[in-house]
């Protein structure tokens, strides 16, 4: 079976929504053009415009032209933006976002600022059911400002290297931790008796040297 195009999907949605417009006594025009794309000047007018409707007076064939933003992929959101633009078409853009437009928008389940409406939770649920009935919306999101860069995964913390001396070889009590030995320089040195602590392992390698180059010794 052939997959329907996104424009065909939108036309099917319009026909499914016609009865809802009849119920609120705001019937849709018999014919409507609908496309996925940015309407003329839409992004110059506002970067957040998600739909656009043109009056039939601007069209050679006297039919309203609707545009649904290619930034949208969530089908319930696509449908609620479509309803917003269909209200403009039913009103032929005469009321702007006031008067008859606002009355119809609220009756159909749109809320928020009338210039940027969103569906109520109840309408969203109905639109999700409608979208399921319509089938897949053959569309991939368009990112006008460039595809977002996914965050880099957090690096996994490296496991600390085990000192062979600390690796348990039996189930008995753990041996006492390595004893730190105090090492000091001669108080008569320019360092004033520099003090550090180290282990017997490193003392056997060589005694530490103070900042002034004097070999240190184990403190009494």
């Amino acid at each position: 079976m052939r997959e329907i195009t996104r424009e065909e999907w939108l036309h099917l949605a319009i026909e499914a929504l016609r009865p809802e417009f009849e119920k609120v006594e705001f019937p849709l025009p018999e014919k409507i053009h609908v496309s996925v794309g940015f309407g003329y000047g839409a992004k110059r007018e506002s970067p957040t415009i998600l739909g656009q409707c043109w009056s039939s007076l601007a069209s050679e064939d006297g039919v309203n032209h609707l545009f649904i933003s290619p930034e949208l992929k969530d089908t319930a959101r696509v449908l609620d933006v479509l309803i917003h633009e269909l209200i403009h078409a039913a009103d032929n853009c005469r009321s702007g976002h006031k008067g008859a437009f606002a009355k119809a928008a609220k009756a159909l389940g749109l809320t928020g600022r009338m210039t940027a409406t969103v569906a109520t939770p109840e309408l969203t649920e109905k639109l999700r059911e409608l979208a399921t009935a319509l089938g897949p919306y053959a569309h991939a999101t368009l990112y006008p400002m460039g595809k977002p860069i996914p965050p880099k995964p957090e690096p996994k913390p490296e496991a600390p290297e085990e000192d062979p001396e600390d690796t348990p070889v039996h189930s008995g009590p753990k041996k006492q931790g390595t004893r730190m030995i105090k090492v000091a320089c001669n108080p008569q040195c320019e360092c004033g008796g520099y003090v550090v602590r180290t282990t017997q392992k490193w003392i056997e390698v060589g005694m530490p040297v103070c900042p002034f180059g004097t070999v240190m010794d184990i403190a009494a």
Side-chain angles (χ1 to χ4, degrees):
M1 184 178 177
R2 180 181 70 87
E3 182 179 62
I4 64 172
T5 66
R6 56 195 183 181
E7 281 75 16
E8 289 173 325
W9 192 92
L10 290 168
H11 277 291
L12 290 172
I14 290 172
E15 295 310 310
L17 291 167
R18 278 188 186 278
E20 301 304 314
F21 281 77
E22 296 286 348
K23 288 178 186 177
V24 299
E25 299 180 350
F26 214 64
L28 293 174
E30 183 179 344
K31 189 175 182 181
I32 299 172
H33 296 310
V34 62
S35 303
V36 174
F38 297 115
Y40 177 76
K43 285 299 174 185
R44 290 200 301 270
E45 184 181 341
S46 168
T48 59
I49 286 180
L50 300 178
Q52 193 177 75
C53 173
W54 284 81
S55 166
S56 62
L57 300 175
S59 175
E60 182 181 17
D61 61 1
V63 176
N64 297 100
H65 285 247
L66 275 57
F67 294 93
I68 304 299
S69 173
E71 296 171 89
L72 297 177
K73 185 179 181 181
D74 180 84
T75 48
R77 186 67 174 129
V78 169
L79 289 172
D80 87 56
V81 171
L82 177 63
I83 289 174
H84 180 112
E85 302 311 326
L86 287 172
I87 298 170
H88 282 308
D91 185 54
N92 206 22
C93 302
R94 286 185 290 265
S95 304
H97 292 95
K98 300 178 180 180
F101 173 92
K103 182 180 178 181
K106 293 172 183 176
L108 287 163
L110 297 182
T111 188
R113 290 187 299 114
M114 288 296 106
T115 54
T117 57
V118 294
T120 61
E122 295 77 16
L123 177 58
T124 298
E125 186 62 32
K126 291 179 181 178
L127 296 180
R128 293 208 183 282
E129 291 175 5
L130 173 56
T132 300
L134 293 173
Y137 181 56
H139 177 67
T141 304
L142 178 69
Y143 300 97
M145 303 304 293
K147 188 179 291 187
I149 300 173
K152 291 182 179 180
E154 291 288 334
K156 292 183 179 180
E158 294 184 6
E161 292 185 9
E162 292 186 347
D163 188 326
E165 294 182 4
D166 293 335
T167 304
V169 293
H170 58 76
S171 59
K174 189 175 180 180
K175 70 176 182 178
Q176 185 178 354
T178 303
R179 186 172 72 87
M180 301 300 289
I181 300 172
K182 183 179 178 181
V183 179
C185 189
N186 188 325
Q188 306 304 317
C189 176
E190 291 182 76
C191 71
Y194 191 76
V195 175
V196 297
R197 291 184 183 276
T198 186
T199 63
Q200 183 63 38
K201 171 183 175 181
W202 296 116
I203 288 175
E204 291 173 1
V205 173
M207 291 300 293
V209 177
C210 85
F212 287 84
T214 302
V215 178
M216 302 167 71
D217 200 358
I218 297 174

